[in-house]
Amino acid sequence: MTTMAVTGHMDLTEGSLTLVRAALDRLLAPYRGRDLAGVSCLAPGADSVFAQAVLAAGGRLVAVVPSRNYRADVVDEGHAPLFDRLLAAADEVIVLPHTTADRHAYAAANAELLRRADRLVAVWNGEPPSGRGGGTADAVLAARAAAVPVDVVWPDGASRSGG
């Protein structure tokens, strides 16, 4: 079984979601019909698009929830229906023991993703770490330091709504 974890930007533009999904479908195509597991925190943007692509490829989904309050206090109303559908579709759900979703919880979630991963898929525009910890660039750097192969997905035309 190949286990791929995902990290990526949450603030992808609407048009970028389609581009990223197509790129992820291409990346996962060789694993279709084989044993594939995808590990995701199911956040908006990259995490959820990856989870959908894994399920469409016939893979099993593992959800890592960063904290006990994540669904109630962090998942916004617009993302909740998709989050709930993906959580219900997951073969395994890991809720980390953090009480609140903060940078420590997100860093722990990244560590859990990497602990389980044979490969990391990074939907990432290449920007350096913010310095706050727990972000996409931090996960990529940690994966590289741990010798976990990283597949960067950032198709031409992709952009973030924040910039």
Side-chain angles (χ1 to χ4, degrees):
M1 173 168 298
T2 300
T3 301
M4 297 179 140
V6 68
T7 187
H9 300 303
M10 295 190 314
D11 59 349
L12 299 173
T13 62
E14 194 65 34
S16 295
L17 292 172
T18 303
L19 296 170
V20 167
R21 174 59 191 268
L24 290 171
D25 287 343
R26 286 189 298 276
L27 180 70
L28 297 178
Y31 301 94
R32 202 176 255 293
R34 295 174 45 193
D35 287 332
L36 170 67
V39 186
S40 172
C41 292
L42 309 181
D47 287 14
S48 292
V49 173
F50 174 80
Q52 292 171 310
V54 166
L55 292 170
R60 65 184 290 275
L61 180 61
V62 177
V64 176
V65 181
S67 66
R68 292 190 300 263
N69 78 326
Y70 188 81
R71 170 62 177 86
D73 294 346
V74 177
V75 176
D76 72 34
E77 186 177 303
H79 181 60
L82 177 57
F83 179 89
D84 291 341
R85 278 195 308 276
L86 293 171
L87 197 66
D91 289 312
E92 183 180 359
V93 177
I94 298 118
V95 179
L96 297 181
H98 297 271
T99 303
T100 58
D102 58 16
R103 287 291 167 193
H104 299 291
Y106 297 135
N110 283 344
E112 182 66 18
L113 293 173
L114 291 179
R115 187 181 74 73
R116 293 172 170 269
D118 299 316
R119 304 190 71 81
L120 180 68
V121 176
V123 180
W124 178 47
N125 63 1
E127 290 180 359
S130 67
R132 294 185 309 250
T136 301
D138 298 298
V140 169
L141 292 174
R144 289 178 175 160
V148 174
V150 177
D151 296 297
V152 175
V153 173
W154 194 252
D156 288 341
S159 61
R160 298 174 69 182
S161 59

